[in-house]
Amino acid sequence: MPEFPPESVPDPSPFPPIAPPRRPVASGLYLVSTPIGNLRDMTLRALDVLSAADLVLAEDTRVTGKLLSAYGLKAKLERCDDHASPRAAELAIERLREGAVVALVSDAGTPLVSDPGFVVARAVIAAGLPVHPIPGPSSLLAALCIAGLPADRVLFAGFLPAKSGARRAALEEVRTARQTLVFFESGPRLADSLADMAAVLGQRPAAVARELTKMYEECVRGSLAELAVDPRCQSPKGEIVIVVAPGEAEAASEADADAALAEAMTRLPPGEAAAEVSRALNLPRKPLYKRALELQGR
């Protein structure tokens, strides 16, 4: 949830705001990203849309009311949490067909990313009405940027189950993924989740990012086992993102290589089949070519 600084705090910036001219906001559903902590992270486009909105669908109208008030904005608010999403979708479609501007926000960050809003967005798309993203703050991206781990290929796994057995089963599903893994977690479950990750995923480097963009922002780095016993990861406060390094590729077995060669040779001559399997399984080409000839009976 964003932190709302006292109104008496002066604007420290010595420069006037400089930006391209504001454009009219056309009718449509706008998925508006809002600050995850620091209110200075609100984008100009987000402010344009919220100031023009005829209706704002909010995960919690009290939180969004405070957010709008911080920027001197007012709007008609309707709740759009997991329970209210079907009704919010009907209302959004009704208003959009009247030519209205409808904004959808979660309590913090980007809507639909482990937050309500999917039901509304899908219904509006199915109705053939326009849906626009208003990008901005995201704890997922913020944590990924400061984790010090590869960010070119990422698998976002959201929240893990609360119980250890189900959590380990979920971790087994992503154990062989060759992407950096990103999870959301709560403070009270953090240490147990890290211990289960260490048991299932092994001794991978990882980072625990907490309270991103807020006063007590923190990023703790180490192996999963080290993080599981780190005092800073024992029931900390705030919202938490865990980033885990990709696993190393497991060496292919002879049976795997033979199966891949046999399949490849149904389409390619032995030399090309060996080259394809070499790239796919990260194995040397010459032994594969020799084995391909053996399988062909030469």
Side-chain angles (χ1 to χ4, degrees):
M1 182 182 299
E3 292 180 341
F4 299 97
E7 294 182 359
S8 59
V9 175
D11 184 345
S13 173
F15 305 108
I18 300 173
R22 176 176 174 176
R23 295 181 178 180
V25 180
S27 174
L29 174 66
Y30 293 83
L31 309 178
V32 181
S33 298
T34 56
I36 59 175
N38 192 318
L39 290 183
R40 297 286 293 181
D41 290 336
M42 192 72 151
T43 70
L44 296 176
R45 271 192 82 203
L47 292 173
D48 288 346
V49 170
L50 292 175
S51 64
D54 301 294
L55 173 67
V56 176
L57 303 177
E59 181 179 3
D60 187 325
T61 56
R62 296 166 297 180
V63 173
T64 301
K66 292 180 181 179
L67 179 70
L68 294 177
S69 178
Y71 296 103
L73 301 176
K74 293 183 179 180
K76 178 176 174 54
L77 296 171
E78 291 287 345
R79 195 172 188 88
C80 182
D81 55 18
D82 289 332
H83 299 292
S85 288
R87 169 58 187 152
E90 294 176 1
L91 181 59
I93 291 171
E94 177 184 325
R95 295 305 313 276
L96 290 171
R97 285 175 173 160
E98 296 171 351
V101 172
V102 179
L104 187 152
V105 301
S106 60
D107 287 350
T110 301
L112 279 68
V113 181
S114 283
D115 276 330
F118 173 67
V119 170
V120 176
R122 181 172 60 177
V124 171
I125 292 168
L129 296 166
V131 178
H132 306 286
I134 305 298
S138 166
S139 60
L140 187 161
L141 295 177
L144 193 61
C145 289
I146 65 171
L149 297 171
D152 54 338
R153 301 179 67 217
V154 179
L155 192 160
F156 173 56
F159 283 97
L160 290 167
K163 294 186 177 180
S164 180
R167 187 162 54 227
R168 291 196 178 201
L171 289 166
E172 282 289 350
E173 293 178 3
V174 299
R175 182 179 60 82
T176 58
R178 296 296 169 252
Q179 301 94 359
T180 293
L181 305 176
V182 183
F183 304 91
F184 287 166
E185 191 51 278
S186 65
R189 294 204 305 254
L190 177 60
D192 289 341
S193 287
L194 289 169
D196 284 340
M197 288 180 186
V200 175
L201 303 179
Q203 295 306 304
R204 302 190 195 183
V208 173
R210 185 181 70 87
E211 293 288 83
L212 290 166
T213 78
K214 298 181 181 179
M215 182 179 297
Y216 298 106
E217 177 180 284
E218 181 178 55
C219 186
V220 186
R221 303 172 185 88
S223 72
L224 286 169
E226 290 169 343
L227 292 173
V229 297
D230 191 300
R232 294 168 292 181
C233 296
Q234 307 302 310
S235 298
K237 295 181 179 179
E239 298 178 353
I240 296 159
V241 185
I242 306 170
V243 185
V244 183
E248 296 181 359
E250 297 178 358
S253 67
E254 290 185 9
D256 292 334
D258 283 356
L261 283 170
E263 190 282 326
M265 285 193 296
T266 64
R267 302 177 282 103
L268 302 168
E272 293 181 20
E276 179 181 285
V277 174
S278 173
R279 291 190 297 271
L281 300 184
N282 194 29
L283 295 172
R285 179 186 175 280
K286 286 185 178 180
L288 287 172
Y289 177 59
K290 180 180 179 182
R291 181 56 178 160
L293 295 178
E294 292 174 355
L295 292 174
Q296 198 178 50
R298 292 186 185 181

